[in-house]
Amino acid sequence: MSALPQPKKNYRCVPTLQQVYTGGPFVFSSDGSFIACACGETINIVDSGDFSIKGTIEGNNEAVTALTLSPNDKLLFSAGHSRQIRVWNLSTLKCERSWKGHDGPIMAMACHASGGLLATAGADRKVLVWDVDGHFCTHFFKGHTGVVTCIMFHPDHNRSLLLSGSDDGAVRVWDLLGKKCVATLAKHFSTVTSMAVSEDGWTLLTAGRDKVVNVWDLHDYAFKTTIPAYEVLEAICIIHTGTLFSSFLGALSPHNGKGTSDTSAIHYVTVGERGILRIWNSERAVCLYEQKSSDVTVTSEIDDESKRGFTGAVILPRDGGLVSVTADQQFLFYSSIADGQLVLTKRLVGDNEEILDMKFLGEEENFLAVATNLEQVRVYDLASKSCSYVLSGHADIILCLDTCILSCGRVLIATGSKDNTVRLWDSESRKCVGIGKGHMGGIGAVAFSRKEKNFLVSGSSDRTIKVWSFDGISYDVDQPTGLKAKAVVAAHDKDINSLAVAPNDRFVCTGSQDRTACVWRLPDLVSVVVLRGHKRGVWSVEFSPVDPCVITGSGDATIKIWSIADGSCIRTFEGHTSSVLRASFLTRGTQFVSCGADGLVKLWTIKTNECIATYDQHEDKVWALAIGKKTEMFATGGGDAVVNLWYDSTAADKEEAFREEEERVLKGQTLENAVQDGDFSKAIQIAFDLNRPRKLFQLFSEICRKKDDRHQMEKALCDLGQEQLRLLFEYAREWNTKPKMCHIAQLVLFQVFNSISPLVILEIKGIGEVLEGLIPYTQRHFSRIDRVVRSTYLVDYSLAGMGVVEADVDDAKEDRKGSREEEEQDHAQNNGEALEDTTRTKKRKSSKTGKAKSKKLKG
């Protein structure tokens, strides 16, 4: 028999896919190494290599409308609806300065090549130029009759020209030296969206939403030609000589039937609403290259065209390739050419919106297939955190998916969509190989066969479940094969939310909004048992990998385990505060993990019926849960567009705890050795490292008894850091509240204030609150000492009045006076110079009074 698996006690969360870009302005650095992009009300600095977030700039509770970088990439300029222009230092991510200048939202920004001027364009139809260092306005241009949508400085910094385009269809050229408009280029009939200047600096290309590109001569600002693009254009980029795309043009020229004698021609790239890249020749006004298709190509089946197509494009320097930005917040990196086609090398998904379902992919589980509220499945590489490819074909949102590995090693993906179809995908060819039609509602759940892997089951909002056979499926055809339904049954009275196939392929379990879960015998779908007991809809069902039981999660915030034999409820687990949306077994059926609408992920042990860990790493509902069969890591995703990977850290935590305990024991022995050797300075430092306040008190008490060792305390205090000083003040505050410990606390405070500069003490975080707790008890201790000193005068007077033998009285007085003086000196040393002065004054008065009484007694 195999050994029982060790139960999991803790998991470590690693955020894998995060929301980095939600649409709007973006800007690449001069070397293409990072991207500054808007993410809601914040600005993210994203590494373009591994797509990790290098920094986040918190906004001012407003949407970001414009971004630009300084030429040296050290400053970031941003603007929003508040009309506030902000300058951010990217090394510290702090706002260095800000000012207002426009009467409306700022729509575009551009920085001069020298870095000293910033141009802004706004919805108030104005164009302003600012001095970056002095943040004052140097130029004020008016003339546009509409919102200014784009702006740029002439790339040749020796030519002091500023170009601006507006939704009035006009492009204006402003002379910065003469501070006037030198030309108005009005040939567009709709919004001007993008402008580009040729490599020699004498030709201007403008693109607009009127589906044309206009070419202008900047010598005399004359109109040259119009090139129809037949699509709404969003961006235009000039192809410079000596780059990757210029070599690509050499391969394209022979296919166009004309030579390359037109050396004066300008080649440029356009992107727009069709979602394809096209390369043009301005001299011949022809399209040299048109991308066959892309993941964002608009098709006739898609109704919501606002989420398709491209919204921007940038040619990266140093042969970094071309980056196009899609309307659904993706950055597509094209940096290589194969067979005369641009090759997509990287994909950064800025926003997954709401994650509905996901599963691990492949034998090594290095990939994750994710279904969001799109008609595509995105497959992510977990190592690089980039989207490897997408599967497009559904006409509506994909609601569910499942994966399996065939005996031949082929990996299949099944998806169910709102378009009422089930599709079967081959991950190797990335094509749809099968399609199942017949449901009358959206497909809410799909599941593969677990043993034979020759069929799949689907459940729909039409309240039926169907069993689809893989017979006749071919993996080498271009067109998908129709899947055949082997069995169908009306299973529930309401929508079916989830289903699961048993490990032996004998049963299938379905969960529905009608508050029941049903177990059916395969393949003919005969009802076996109905599981009743939940008070709300059942969102999740799954078979145990070892026992004949089923686990269900419901909208009533409970999780139940049922027996298949008689349909009885074996156990009920409570702990979630809202609907339980997913529950899956772990550790060979001895544990399970659950997630819900409360954003919590919980780890449970079935035998003890308790939740052993709760994790709060999501800010919204957790819809998706994927369990790794090989490593038993799991992934969660939900409405916050975040995918978290969870790794078993039980063994690592145990090893770390053992190592910490071993280190603590060694340090404890070193501490005892230091005390035995009388090295109190070292002992105090170790006591701080071990966080032992009781031991610290004992050390300070020992030093208090041995006055010769106080220099060691002073040395130890001077070596303490700010965090240790803060702890020492907190300990002293606690000791100061107890009568038996207050004298040690006062000794420590005396040494601290004498050894450490007040400026250093003031820099300690939270020191004000600590000192406020020290003052009341310290004042109480001073008052108590003062009362004791005053009461000793009455004793002196009484003894003097009762004296019979003069010598005895005088000797007693001298003894008491000497001991009192010694005691007062100790108290004065511990409590400061102020108390010492007070005590000396009273002592002189007492001495004079004693001498007068003595003379009177002798007489």
Side-chain angles (χ1 to χ4, degrees), residues 517-530:
C518 299
V519 179
W520 310 84
R521 182 177 291 108
L522 289 172
D524 48 1
L525 295 179
V526 176
S527 178
V528 176
V529 66
V530 179

Side-chain angles (χ1 to χ4, degrees), residues 287-548:
C287 179
L288 300 178
Y289 168 79
E290 181 174 329
Q291 195 178 18
K292 292 182 179 179
S293 65
S294 69
D295 303 326
V296 293
T297 303
V298 176
T299 63
S300 59
E301 298 178 349
I302 301 173
D303 297 329
D304 186 9
E305 295 187 3
S306 63
K307 288 191 174 183
R308 319 309 293 147
F310 290 125
T311 60
V314 177
I315 293 182
L316 299 178
R318 302 177 185 175
D319 280 346
L322 172 72
V323 179
S324 58
V325 184
T326 68
D328 57 352
Q329 297 89 45
Q330 297 185 61
F331 291 87
L332 306 181
F333 291 76
Y334 297 91
S335 58
S336 62
I337 300 166
D339 300 329
Q341 293 289 326
L342 293 176
V343 178
L344 179 65
T345 55
K346 287 192 299 184
R347 181 198 306 265
L348 168 61
V349 178
D351 185 12
N352 281 302
E353 299 186 26
E354 194 164 10
I355 297 170
L356 304 179
D357 200 3
M358 57 187 176
K359 290 290 187 295
F360 286 104
L361 199 64
E363 293 184 358
E364 300 298 326
E365 299 174 350
N366 294 328
F367 295 89
L368 187 68
V370 180
T372 64
N373 50 355
L374 291 175
E375 65 281 355
Q376 302 171 339
V377 174
R378 292 170 174 168
V379 180
Y380 287 92
D381 185 349
L382 296 180
S384 63
K385 300 181 182 180
S386 64
C387 182
S388 296
Y389 58 92
V390 298
L391 303 176
S392 301
H394 281 288
D396 210 333
I397 295 173
I398 296 175
L399 299 175
C400 56
L401 60 87
D402 197 11
T403 61
C404 78
I405 304 174
L406 302 181
S407 57
C408 61
R410 189 179 297 272
V411 180
L412 299 181
I413 304 173
T415 57
S417 169
K418 272 189 175 182
D419 61 4
N420 306 344
T421 62
V422 177
R423 285 181 178 262
L424 187 65
W425 309 82
D426 179 16
S427 66
E428 184 178 352
S429 63
R430 304 177 184 178
K431 294 181 180 179
C432 178
V433 297
I435 180 171
K437 299 180 179 180
H439 281 291
M440 303 302 294
I443 313 299
V446 292
F448 276 108
S449 161
R450 298 304 177 196
K451 185 178 180 181
E452 300 296 335
K453 300 178 181 178
N454 56 359
F455 67 88
L456 67 88
V457 185
S458 63
S460 169
S461 59
D462 62 5
R463 309 170 188 177
T464 64
I465 56 175
K466 293 178 182 285
V467 179
W468 306 90
S469 173
F470 293 169
D471 296 339
I473 294 294
S474 175
Y475 301 103
D476 299 325
V477 295
D478 293 333
Q479 295 298 324
T481 306
L483 298 177
K484 296 180 180 179
K486 295 170 57 177
V488 59
V489 66
H492 290 274
D493 297 332
K494 291 186 178 180
D495 295 359
I496 297 174
N497 295 327
S498 61
L499 58 84
V501 177
N504 56 7
D505 286 351
R506 292 182 57 190
F507 304 102
V508 60
C509 182
T510 58
S512 169
Q513 283 295 103
D514 62 4
R515 299 177 290 180
T516 64
C518 299
V519 179
W520 310 84
R521 182 177 291 108
L522 289 172
D524 48 1
L525 295 179
V526 176
S527 178
V528 176
V529 66
V530 179
L531 310 177
R532 305 180 187 274
H534 282 296
K535 298 179 181 179
R536 294 199 177 180
V538 179
W539 285 101
S540 174
V541 295
E542 186 175 298
F543 283 93
S544 170
V546 291
D547 298 319

Side-chain angles (χ1 to χ4, degrees), residues 84-146:
Q84 195 88 2
I85 302 170
R86 291 183 171 85
V87 184
W88 305 89
N89 189 326
L90 291 185
S91 61
T92 61
L93 300 180
K94 300 292 184 182
C95 180
E96 292 192 341
R97 48 192 173 273
S98 63
W99 66 90
K100 285 187 179 181
H102 285 268
D103 297 328
I106 298 172
M107 308 307 296
M109 306 174 76
C111 190
H112 193 262
S114 64
L117 296 178
L118 174 70
T120 59
D124 57 359
R125 309 174 186 178
K126 300 175 184 175
V127 175
L128 303 180
V129 182
W130 306 87
D131 185 280
V132 174
D133 296 327
H135 53 272
F136 58 86
C137 183
T138 60
H139 300 76
F140 183 91
F141 297 127
K142 293 180 66 175
H144 283 291
T145 59

Side-chain angles (χ1 to χ4, degrees), residues 723-740:
E723 182 63 23
Q724 292 175 327
L725 282 174
R726 184 186 62 81
L727 287 175
L728 181 59
F729 274 107
E730 290 181 357
Y731 296 156
R733 181 180 60 182
E734 295 299 322
W735 300 338
N736 200 39
T737 59
K738 301 174 182 179
K740 293 183 178 180

Side-chain angles (χ1 to χ4, degrees), residues 804-834:
V804 178
V805 181
E806 182 178 346
D808 294 340
V809 174
D810 291 340
D811 293 340
K813 284 177 62 179
E814 291 296 330
D815 293 339
R816 286 196 306 273
K817 185 166 65 174
S819 62
R820 188 166 65 250
E821 288 177 355
E822 183 178 355
E823 181 182 357
E824 289 173 358
Q825 288 176 1
D826 290 339
H827 282 292
Q829 184 177 2
N830 292 338
N831 297 296
E833 295 180 357

Side-chain angles (χ1 to χ4, degrees), residues 25 77 119 251 377 456 459 528 606 623 670 681 699-700 725 787-788 791:
F77 305 92
V377 174
L456 67 88
V528 176
I606 297 177
W623 287 106
T670 306
S681 176
L699 291 173
F700 288 132
L725 282 174
R787 288 196 302 270
V788 170
S791 64

Side-chain angles (χ1 to χ4, degrees), residues 628-647:
K629 298 178 182 178
K630 185 175 182 180
T631 60
E632 286 206 341
M633 68 175 180
F634 64 89
T636 56
D640 55 359
V642 174
V643 173
N644 289 326
L645 281 182
W646 304 81
Y647 297 92

